[in-house]
Amino acid sequence: MTNNKSTIRLLSVVGARPNFIKIAPIVRAINEHNRVGYKAGPGLERPIRHTLVHTGQHYDIDMSDAFFQDLGLPNPDINMEVGSSSHAVQTANIMVKFEQILIEEKPDWIIVVGDVNSTLAAVLVSSKMGIKSAHVEAGLRSFDRSMPEEINRIITDAVANLLFTPSPDADENLLNEGVSPDRIKRVGNVMIDTLVSNLERARRCRVQELFGMKEKDYVFVTLHRPSNVDDIFALSSIIEHLMRLSERIPVIFPMHPRTGNNISNFGLQKRIKDSKRLIICNPLGYHDTIGLVDKARLVLTDSGGLQEETTFLNIPCLTLRPNTERPITITQGTNRLTSLTSLDKDINVVIDSGDLLPRKAPEFWDGHTAERIIRILVAAH
Ligand code: UD1
């Protein structure tokens, strides 16, 4: 590295599972920037000192540590260990601890990703301290303010200095909210960077065989949104649907802790009959998940990331939500919205007719988004 004066100090904040997947290519791009001796071009030669902060929003081994290992992420430089609590308590705890971290670290920029409580808490603190912030995955809108993530997205984008967007609809949403065009940078999708660089390894695992499944002959399910799993009627109906579906085609359902906790709290365990055709397991690591998605006949989910990953992999996806903040996965991809009332019919269409419409990968979903982000941040400094 050259002298400290010319070093750019970046500090990234992660808290929940999808954040780890989004930050991994950014960490790699920073290392690459430093490794190649700052050959990026005139004005881009300054080295970066990077600090990785984990809020501890997700703390279970299979929700957090496993992802750090799978994705080759370094251990966080700082772990705030805030854990689970109500939204207000969780957000407030992150804010109090993060303020102290910023006082000590004095970064030039903070980087936040996605739409979780950790994203919102960090950006609020930095903006009040006059520290510049960049939001990766900016501009996505479901237009459904009952989702905690939608509130997090709106506020994060209102205060962050630079908004890195994945798709044209995101640019449009920001412009419609009066954001100045010079804050908006369309760079593509960091989730797809991680997918591109890990796909070969995920395919080598042949994890479907370990689950006793045949290629294109099972449905992969993930469900954890409050609207689906915090309501006893919705959750019981989902269980009935999955039991029925498994009589027709095997189902693999790695269960998020929120969903598992609610099944116990609502006393629904007895409704789930053990069967080789409905496999419910703990949350899986990144490569196992991608390996299973890649060979599935259909993915049924309420996750944001899986809507994008299935579009890239050309796997039919049904999203059990009334809306999506990722409409490009419907207009150009393999995603369709579904509901508990239309689920049986929608599943039949995919299974009987083979596929949904073929996808066209959106522009810049090419594996190089993080490099674009780092180049822009260095130039902006
Ligand atoms: C959070 C994000 C959501 C994201 C999801 C991915 C917010 C508002 N929501 O939702 O956008 O899609 O992460 O997983 O930030 N729990 C554990 N172990 C853990 C983490 C959570 O047992 O490691 C349990 C806790 O009991 C907690 C519950 O899961 O109460 C919910 O966790 P929380 O981080 O509050 O929200 P998620 O539902 O995971």
Side-chain angles (χ1 to χ4, degrees):
M1 291 230 175
T2 56
N3 66 62
N4 276 339
K5 259 193 200 156
S6 65
T7 300
I8 303 173
R9 287 161 306 174
L10 300 183
L11 184 149
S12 309
V13 183
V14 291
R17 186 172 57 177
N19 291 170
F20 312 141
I21 303 169
K22 289 167 196 166
I23 211 68
I26 293 177
V27 171
R28 213 179 38 246
I30 291 173
N31 290 341
E32 190 59 13
H33 173 87
N34 287 338
R35 195 186 63 81
V36 298
Y38 338 117
K39 287 180 195 144
L44 299 177
E45 47 286 278
R46 300 174 62 187
I48 297 171
R49 196 190 93 191
H50 181 238
T51 306
L52 182 61
V53 177
H54 188 341
T55 65
Q57 176 175 347
H58 283 178
Y59 46 86
D60 280 356
I61 288 173
D62 48 10
M63 296 293 284
S64 178
D65 301 21
F67 280 77
F68 274 75
Q69 278 162 24
D70 275 5
L71 300 171
L73 274 169
N75 287 333
D77 298 290
I78 301 170
N79 191 327
M80 293 156 65
E81 296 183 348
V82 294
S84 301
S85 36
S86 70
H87 283 251
V89 171
Q90 189 176 61
T91 308
N93 280 342
I94 297 170
M95 289 180 71
V96 171
K97 292 189 174 180
F98 191 57
E99 184 177 47
Q100 201 51 44
I101 291 171
L102 289 188
I103 290 171
E104 283 161 23
E105 293 290 320
K106 299 183 185 58
D108 298 307
W109 284 88
I110 72 155
I111 303 175
V112 294
V113 295
D115 56 11
V116 304
N117 288 344
S118 301
T119 313
L120 167 73
V123 85
L124 276 179
V125 175
S126 73
S127 64
K128 295 216 171 187
M129 291 174 72
I131 293 173
K132 286 178 286 188
S133 53
H135 182 209
V136 175
E137 200 182 84
L140 299 185
R141 296 289 181 271
S142 65
F143 302 100
D144 174 359
R145 292 197 180 200
S146 69
M147 289 179 75
E149 295 84 358
E150 181 74 353
I151 307 298
N152 294 346
R153 291 180 201 116
I154 293 169
I155 300 175
T156 302
D157 288 341
V159 297
N161 299 78
L162 265 184
L163 303 174
F164 289 117
T165 62
S167 47
D169 55 282
D171 299 3
E172 217 171 284
N173 293 334
L174 293 170
L175 293 170
N176 289 341
E177 289 172 17
V179 172
S180 152
D182 56 339
R183 282 172 61 211
I184 306 171
K185 310 281 175 203
R186 180 139 58 85
V187 287
N189 191 329
V190 277
M191 202 93 183
I192 302 302
D193 282 17
T194 300
L195 182 54
V196 167
S197 57
N198 286 276
L199 189 53
E200 213 185 291
R201 180 170 158 199
R203 283 180 172 153
R204 268 203 313 270
C205 297
R206 305 183 70 79
V207 64
Q208 74 282 357
E209 290 172 9
L210 303 177
F211 278 92
M213 300 289 166
K214 295 199 201 89
E215 269 186 52
K216 304 290 164 194
D217 191 29
Y218 61 91
V219 177
F220 183 78
V221 178
T222 77
L223 294 163
H224 72 279
R225 294 266 161 220
S227 55
N228 282 326
V229 307
D230 284 6
D231 176 89
I232 185 168
F233 298 107
L235 190 52
S236 350
S237 169
I238 285 170
I239 290 171
E240 308 288 312
H241 274 87
L242 294 182
M243 296 294 303
R244 249 197 336 273
L245 176 62
S246 66
E247 285 163 17
R248 178 159 186 212
I249 179 168
V251 173
I252 305 181
F253 183 8
M255 198 175 275
H256 187 286
R258 173 188 281 278
T259 310
N261 292 344
N262 287 344
I263 287 182
S264 314
N265 295 341
F266 297 150
L268 295 173
Q269 303 96 318
K270 51 190 177 300
R271 301 262 194 98
I272 305 171
K273 292 184 196 69
D274 250 354
S275 127
K276 283 201 175 124
R277 295 177 65 86
L278 173 57
I279 297 178
I280 296 182
C281 58
N282 285 337
L284 295 170
Y286 183 75
H287 296 102
D288 288 351
T289 301
I290 294 299
L292 284 170
V293 168
D294 184 49
K295 298 286 181 260
R297 173 85 148 263
L298 164 70
V299 170
L300 170 63
T301 191
D302 56 13
S303 143
L306 278 174
Q307 295 173 53
E308 299 175 336
E309 287 153 348
T310 47
T311 275
F312 189 84
L313 295 170
N314 207 12
I315 303 297
C317 177
L318 289 174
T319 298
L320 186 58
R321 285 179 42 191
N323 49 54
T324 176
E325 60 290 332
R326 293 164 163 89
I328 201 160
T329 61
I330 295 178
T331 53
Q332 290 193 28
T334 56
N335 188 23
R336 293 291 175 278
L337 299 181
T338 187
S339 66
L340 287 172
T341 44
S342 66
L343 188 56
D344 284 335
K345 184 174 81 46
D346 292 340
I347 286 176
N348 286 342
V349 168
V350 177
I351 292 182
D352 294 339
S353 72
D355 269 328
L356 295 170
L357 291 175
R359 58 94 196 183
K360 177 169 169 281
E363 192 186 8
F364 298 143
W365 291 25
D366 59 358
H368 298 289
T369 294
E371 294 155 34
R372 289 189 276 272
I373 289 173
I374 293 307
R375 218 173 300 134
I376 291 170
L377 276 177
V378 173
H381 188 68

mmCIF file of all heavy atoms in Angstrom, residues 319-350:
data_model
loop_
_atom_site.group_PDB
_atom_site.id
_atom_site.type_symbol
_atom_site.label_atom_id
_atom_site.label_comp_id
_atom_site.label_asym_id
_atom_site.label_seq_id
_atom_site.Cartn_x
_atom_site.Cartn_y
_atom_site.Cartn_z
ATOM 1 N N THR A 319 -43.641 -17.323 -6.793
ATOM 2 C CA THR A 319 -43.394 -16.512 -5.603
ATOM 3 C C THR A 319 -44.706 -16.319 -4.856
ATOM 4 O O THR A 319 -45.657 -15.735 -5.403
ATOM 5 C CB THR A 319 -42.778 -15.157 -6.011
ATOM 6 O OG1 THR A 319 -41.524 -15.425 -6.637
ATOM 7 C CG2 THR A 319 -42.550 -14.266 -4.808
ATOM 8 N N LEU A 320 -44.762 -16.845 -3.640
ATOM 9 C CA LEU A 320 -45.996 -16.811 -2.854
ATOM 10 C C LEU A 320 -46.122 -15.456 -2.156
ATOM 11 O O LEU A 320 -45.905 -15.322 -0.952
ATOM 12 C CB LEU A 320 -45.991 -17.967 -1.837
ATOM 13 C CG LEU A 320 -47.273 -18.178 -1.031
ATOM 14 C CD1 LEU A 320 -48.469 -18.412 -1.932
ATOM 15 C CD2 LEU A 320 -47.103 -19.333 -0.051
ATOM 16 N N ARG A 321 -46.416 -14.444 -2.967
ATOM 17 C CA ARG A 321 -46.585 -13.073 -2.466
ATOM 18 C C ARG A 321 -47.508 -12.330 -3.427
ATOM 19 O O ARG A 321 -47.538 -12.640 -4.616
ATOM 20 C CB ARG A 321 -45.216 -12.355 -2.434
ATOM 21 C CG ARG A 321 -44.316 -12.786 -1.315
ATOM 22 C CD ARG A 321 -42.983 -12.071 -1.352
ATOM 23 N NE ARG A 321 -43.112 -10.659 -1.657
ATOM 24 C CZ ARG A 321 -42.082 -9.870 -1.947
ATOM 25 N NH1 ARG A 321 -40.859 -10.348 -1.967
ATOM 26 N NH2 ARG A 321 -42.272 -8.602 -2.213
ATOM 27 N N PRO A 322 -48.218 -11.308 -2.923
ATOM 28 C CA PRO A 322 -49.098 -10.550 -3.835
ATOM 29 C C PRO A 322 -48.322 -9.566 -4.701
ATOM 30 O O PRO A 322 -48.884 -8.972 -5.621
ATOM 31 C CB PRO A 322 -50.027 -9.794 -2.875
ATOM 32 C CG PRO A 322 -49.328 -9.754 -1.566
ATOM 33 C CD PRO A 322 -48.379 -10.920 -1.517
ATOM 34 N N ASN A 323 -47.049 -9.346 -4.408
ATOM 35 C CA ASN A 323 -46.275 -8.358 -5.164
ATOM 36 C C ASN A 323 -44.811 -8.754 -5.114
ATOM 37 O O ASN A 323 -44.417 -9.619 -4.339
ATOM 38 C CB ASN A 323 -46.460 -6.961 -4.558
ATOM 39 C CG ASN A 323 -46.258 -7.006 -3.048
ATOM 40 O OD1 ASN A 323 -45.245 -7.468 -2.557
ATOM 41 N ND2 ASN A 323 -47.262 -6.551 -2.307
ATOM 42 N N THR A 324 -44.026 -8.085 -5.957
ATOM 43 C CA THR A 324 -42.569 -8.286 -5.868
ATOM 44 C C THR A 324 -41.873 -6.965 -6.128
ATOM 45 O O THR A 324 -42.340 -6.156 -6.949
ATOM 46 C CB THR A 324 -42.056 -9.341 -6.864
ATOM 47 O OG1 THR A 324 -40.621 -9.390 -6.747
ATOM 48 C CG2 THR A 324 -42.428 -9.032 -8.308
ATOM 49 N N GLU A 325 -40.763 -6.744 -5.419
ATOM 50 C CA GLU A 325 -39.942 -5.560 -5.673
ATOM 51 C C GLU A 325 -38.956 -5.842 -6.807
ATOM 52 O O GLU A 325 -38.145 -5.013 -7.134
ATOM 53 C CB GLU A 325 -39.190 -5.146 -4.397
ATOM 54 C CG GLU A 325 -38.242 -6.186 -3.820
ATOM 55 C CD GLU A 325 -38.961 -7.377 -3.213
ATOM 56 O OE1 GLU A 325 -40.110 -7.201 -2.747
ATOM 57 O OE2 GLU A 325 -38.398 -8.489 -3.233
ATOM 58 N N ARG A 326 -39.068 -7.040 -7.397
ATOM 59 C CA ARG A 326 -38.156 -7.440 -8.471
ATOM 60 C C ARG A 326 -38.951 -7.797 -9.734
ATOM 61 O O ARG A 326 -38.920 -8.933 -10.209
ATOM 62 C CB ARG A 326 -37.316 -8.633 -8.005
ATOM 63 C CG ARG A 326 -36.367 -8.253 -6.874
ATOM 64 C CD ARG A 326 -35.846 -9.463 -6.158
ATOM 65 N NE ARG A 326 -34.662 -9.176 -5.368
ATOM 66 C CZ ARG A 326 -34.673 -8.765 -4.104
ATOM 67 N NH1 ARG A 326 -35.831 -8.590 -3.470
ATOM 68 N NH2 ARG A 326 -33.552 -8.523 -3.462
ATOM 69 N N PRO A 327 -39.719 -6.811 -10.291
ATOM 70 C CA PRO A 327 -40.612 -7.133 -11.412
ATOM 71 C C PRO A 327 -39.868 -7.618 -12.655
ATOM 72 O O PRO A 327 -40.453 -8.322 -13.487
ATOM 73 C CB PRO A 327 -41.330 -5.798 -11.674
ATOM 74 C CG PRO A 327 -40.459 -4.749 -11.080
ATOM 75 C CD PRO A 327 -39.776 -5.398 -9.905
ATOM 76 N N ILE A 328 -38.592 -7.294 -12.770
ATOM 77 C CA ILE A 328 -37.849 -7.726 -13.957
ATOM 78 C C ILE A 328 -37.738 -9.252 -14.013
ATOM 79 O O ILE A 328 -37.595 -9.836 -15.091
ATOM 80 C CB ILE A 328 -36.450 -7.044 -13.996
ATOM 81 C CG1 ILE A 328 -35.895 -7.061 -15.412
ATOM 82 C CG2 ILE A 328 -35.474 -7.663 -13.008
ATOM 83 C CD1 ILE A 328 -34.811 -6.051 -15.680
ATOM 84 N N THR A 329 -37.864 -9.917 -12.845
ATOM 85 C CA THR A 329 -37.828 -11.387 -12.857
ATOM 86 C C THR A 329 -39.121 -11.970 -13.438
ATOM 87 O O THR A 329 -39.172 -13.138 -13.796
ATOM 88 C CB THR A 329 -37.611 -11.963 -11.433
ATOM 89 O OG1 THR A 329 -38.716 -11.551 -10.601
ATOM 90 C CG2 THR A 329 -36.306 -11.492 -10.826
ATOM 91 N N ILE A 330 -40.162 -11.130 -13.527
ATOM 92 C CA ILE A 330 -41.407 -11.566 -14.171
ATOM 93 C C ILE A 330 -41.386 -11.179 -15.647
ATOM 94 O O ILE A 330 -41.674 -12.000 -16.512
ATOM 95 C CB ILE A 330 -42.628 -10.941 -13.458
ATOM 96 C CG1 ILE A 330 -42.707 -11.485 -12.029
ATOM 97 C CG2 ILE A 330 -43.913 -11.216 -14.228
ATOM 98 C CD1 ILE A 330 -43.840 -10.912 -11.207
ATOM 99 N N THR A 331 -41.005 -9.913 -15.924
ATOM 100 C CA THR A 331 -41.078 -9.446 -17.317
ATOM 101 C C THR A 331 -39.997 -10.094 -18.186
ATOM 102 O O THR A 331 -40.216 -10.364 -19.352
ATOM 103 C CB THR A 331 -40.943 -7.913 -17.391
ATOM 104 O OG1 THR A 331 -39.751 -7.530 -16.682
ATOM 105 C CG2 THR A 331 -42.129 -7.222 -16.765
ATOM 106 N N GLN A 332 -38.818 -10.348 -17.613
ATOM 107 C CA GLN A 332 -37.741 -10.951 -18.419
ATOM 108 C C GLN A 332 -37.357 -12.336 -17.925
ATOM 109 O O GLN A 332 -36.554 -13.010 -18.560
ATOM 110 C CB GLN A 332 -36.481 -10.072 -18.354
ATOM 111 C CG GLN A 332 -36.627 -8.763 -19.080
ATOM 112 C CD GLN A 332 -35.284 -8.071 -19.259
ATOM 113 O OE1 GLN A 332 -34.240 -8.690 -19.335
ATOM 114 N NE2 GLN A 332 -35.325 -6.761 -19.339
ATOM 115 N N GLY A 333 -37.882 -12.747 -16.780
ATOM 116 C CA GLY A 333 -37.385 -13.974 -16.169
ATOM 117 C C GLY A 333 -38.413 -15.074 -16.076
ATOM 118 O O GLY A 333 -39.391 -15.102 -16.832
ATOM 119 N N THR A 334 -38.199 -15.993 -15.125
ATOM 120 C CA THR A 334 -39.024 -17.199 -15.023
ATOM 121 C C THR A 334 -39.967 -17.133 -13.835
ATOM 122 O O THR A 334 -40.525 -18.136 -13.427
ATOM 123 C CB THR A 334 -38.098 -18.419 -14.822
ATOM 124 O OG1 THR A 334 -37.283 -18.162 -13.672
ATOM 125 C CG2 THR A 334 -37.216 -18.661 -16.025
ATOM 126 N N ASN A 335 -40.134 -15.959 -13.254
ATOM 127 C CA ASN A 335 -40.889 -15.818 -12.013
ATOM 128 C C ASN A 335 -42.367 -15.496 -12.281
ATOM 129 O O ASN A 335 -42.686 -14.773 -13.230
ATOM 130 C CB ASN A 335 -40.250 -14.675 -11.207
ATOM 131 C CG ASN A 335 -40.820 -14.540 -9.806
ATOM 132 O OD1 ASN A 335 -41.372 -15.493 -9.254
ATOM 133 N ND2 ASN A 335 -40.695 -13.353 -9.235
ATOM 134 N N ARG A 336 -43.258 -16.043 -11.446
ATOM 135 C CA ARG A 336 -44.679 -15.685 -11.460
ATOM 136 C C ARG A 336 -45.139 -15.546 -10.019
ATOM 137 O O ARG A 336 -44.727 -16.329 -9.174
ATOM 138 C CB ARG A 336 -45.536 -16.780 -12.112
ATOM 139 C CG ARG A 336 -45.303 -16.985 -13.574
ATOM 140 C CD ARG A 336 -45.804 -15.787 -14.399
ATOM 141 N NE ARG A 336 -45.465 -15.939 -15.803
ATOM 142 C CZ ARG A 336 -44.290 -15.637 -16.344
ATOM 143 N NH1 ARG A 336 -43.317 -15.166 -15.602
ATOM 144 N NH2 ARG A 336 -44.067 -15.813 -17.629
ATOM 145 N N LEU A 337 -46.033 -14.570 -9.786
ATOM 146 C CA LEU A 337 -46.605 -14.449 -8.440
ATOM 147 C C LEU A 337 -47.708 -15.483 -8.283
ATOM 148 O O LEU A 337 -48.401 -15.821 -9.248
ATOM 149 C CB LEU A 337 -47.181 -13.040 -8.236
ATOM 150 C CG LEU A 337 -46.189 -11.889 -8.355
ATOM 151 C CD1 LEU A 337 -46.888 -10.553 -8.109
ATOM 152 C CD2 LEU A 337 -45.023 -12.064 -7.379
ATOM 153 N N THR A 338 -47.881 -15.963 -7.052
ATOM 154 C CA THR A 338 -48.971 -16.892 -6.788
ATOM 155 C C THR A 338 -49.567 -16.572 -5.415
ATOM 156 O O THR A 338 -49.042 -15.729 -4.681
ATOM 157 C CB THR A 338 -48.490 -18.362 -6.870
ATOM 158 O OG1 THR A 338 -49.606 -19.235 -6.774
ATOM 159 C CG2 THR A 338 -47.492 -18.688 -5.762
ATOM 160 N N SER A 339 -50.699 -17.232 -5.110
ATOM 161 C CA SER A 339 -51.353 -17.011 -3.814
ATOM 162 C C SER A 339 -51.846 -18.365 -3.318
ATOM 163 O O SER A 339 -51.857 -19.345 -4.087
ATOM 164 C CB SER A 339 -52.553 -16.081 -3.999
ATOM 165 O OG SER A 339 -53.515 -16.757 -4.786
ATOM 166 N N LEU A 340 -52.287 -18.406 -2.055
ATOM 167 C CA LEU A 340 -52.743 -19.696 -1.549
ATOM 168 C C LEU A 340 -53.966 -20.193 -2.312
ATOM 169 O O LEU A 340 -54.181 -21.395 -2.427
ATOM 170 C CB LEU A 340 -53.024 -19.594 -0.039
ATOM 171 C CG LEU A 340 -51.748 -19.518 0.801
ATOM 172 C CD1 LEU A 340 -52.058 -19.213 2.256
ATOM 173 C CD2 LEU A 340 -50.929 -20.799 0.681
ATOM 174 N N THR A 341 -54.758 -19.266 -2.875
ATOM 175 C CA THR A 341 -55.933 -19.731 -3.617
ATOM 176 C C THR A 341 -55.582 -20.226 -5.026
ATOM 177 O O THR A 341 -56.251 -21.112 -5.549
ATOM 178 C CB THR A 341 -57.018 -18.637 -3.718
ATOM 179 O OG1 THR A 341 -56.380 -17.415 -4.049
ATOM 180 C CG2 THR A 341 -57.800 -18.473 -2.442
ATOM 181 N N SER A 342 -54.529 -19.695 -5.617
ATOM 182 C CA SER A 342 -54.224 -20.153 -6.983
ATOM 183 C C SER A 342 -53.026 -21.113 -7.028
ATOM 184 O O SER A 342 -52.615 -21.561 -8.102
ATOM 185 C CB SER A 342 -53.962 -18.956 -7.902
ATOM 186 O OG SER A 342 -52.781 -18.304 -7.497
ATOM 187 N N LEU A 343 -52.484 -21.446 -5.845
ATOM 188 C CA LEU A 343 -51.234 -22.213 -5.823
ATOM 189 C C LEU A 343 -51.346 -23.568 -6.531
ATOM 190 O O LEU A 343 -50.501 -23.912 -7.368
ATOM 191 C CB LEU A 343 -50.792 -22.399 -4.356
ATOM 192 C CG LEU A 343 -49.426 -23.018 -4.123
ATOM 193 C CD1 LEU A 343 -48.337 -22.237 -4.832
ATOM 194 C CD2 LEU A 343 -49.118 -23.056 -2.622
ATOM 195 N N ASP A 344 -52.415 -24.340 -6.228
ATOM 196 C CA ASP A 344 -52.549 -25.670 -6.840
ATOM 197 C C ASP A 344 -52.537 -25.563 -8.353
ATOM 198 O O ASP A 344 -51.832 -26.294 -9.045
ATOM 199 C CB ASP A 344 -53.865 -26.335 -6.385
ATOM 200 C CG ASP A 344 -53.743 -26.860 -4.953
ATOM 201 O OD1 ASP A 344 -52.602 -27.140 -4.535
ATOM 202 O OD2 ASP A 344 -54.777 -26.961 -4.268
ATOM 203 N N LYS A 345 -53.351 -24.613 -8.856
ATOM 204 C CA LYS A 345 -53.466 -24.443 -10.316
ATOM 205 C C LYS A 345 -52.117 -24.019 -10.905
ATOM 206 O O LYS A 345 -51.666 -24.562 -11.910
ATOM 207 C CB LYS A 345 -54.539 -23.369 -10.579
ATOM 208 C CG LYS A 345 -54.848 -23.141 -12.036
ATOM 209 C CD LYS A 345 -56.006 -22.191 -12.204
ATOM 210 C CE LYS A 345 -55.685 -20.808 -12.084
ATOM 211 N NZ LYS A 345 -55.176 -19.715 -12.174
ATOM 212 N N ASP A 346 -51.471 -23.072 -10.257
ATOM 213 C CA ASP A 346 -50.203 -22.560 -10.793
ATOM 214 C C ASP A 346 -49.115 -23.641 -10.796
ATOM 215 O O ASP A 346 -48.314 -23.735 -11.723
ATOM 216 C CB ASP A 346 -49.731 -21.347 -9.982
ATOM 217 C CG ASP A 346 -50.650 -20.142 -10.167
ATOM 218 O OD1 ASP A 346 -51.393 -20.120 -11.172
ATOM 219 O OD2 ASP A 346 -50.637 -19.237 -9.310
ATOM 220 N N ILE A 347 -49.105 -24.453 -9.749
ATOM 221 C CA ILE A 347 -48.110 -25.540 -9.699
ATOM 222 C C ILE A 347 -48.381 -26.530 -10.832
ATOM 223 O O ILE A 347 -47.472 -26.970 -11.528
ATOM 224 C CB ILE A 347 -48.147 -26.244 -8.323
ATOM 225 C CG1 ILE A 347 -47.500 -25.347 -7.265
ATOM 226 C CG2 ILE A 347 -47.430 -27.587 -8.384
ATOM 227 C CD1 ILE A 347 -47.564 -25.886 -5.855
ATOM 228 N N ASN A 348 -49.675 -26.850 -11.026
ATOM 229 C CA ASN A 348 -50.009 -27.802 -12.095
ATOM 230 C C ASN A 348 -49.544 -27.310 -13.450
ATOM 231 O O ASN A 348 -49.030 -28.080 -14.256
ATOM 232 C CB ASN A 348 -51.524 -28.045 -12.143
ATOM 233 C CG ASN A 348 -51.952 -28.918 -10.981
ATOM 234 O OD1 ASN A 348 -51.111 -29.587 -10.365
ATOM 235 N ND2 ASN A 348 -53.240 -28.895 -10.659
ATOM 236 N N VAL A 349 -49.727 -26.017 -13.696
ATOM 237 C CA VAL A 349 -49.323 -25.462 -15.001
ATOM 238 C C VAL A 349 -47.835 -25.712 -15.224
ATOM 239 O O VAL A 349 -47.417 -26.193 -16.276
ATOM 240 C CB VAL A 349 -49.636 -23.945 -15.083
ATOM 241 C CG1 VAL A 349 -48.964 -23.316 -16.293
ATOM 242 C CG2 VAL A 349 -51.133 -23.718 -15.121
ATOM 243 N N VAL A 350 -47.028 -25.425 -14.193
ATOM 244 C CA VAL A 350 -45.571 -25.586 -14.371
ATOM 245 C C VAL A 350 -45.220 -27.062 -14.526
ATOM 246 O O VAL A 350 -44.453 -27.442 -15.422
ATOM 247 C CB VAL A 350 -44.794 -24.997 -13.174
ATOM 248 C CG1 VAL A 350 -43.307 -25.244 -13.349
ATOM 249 C CG2 VAL A 350 -45.061 -23.512 -13.046
#
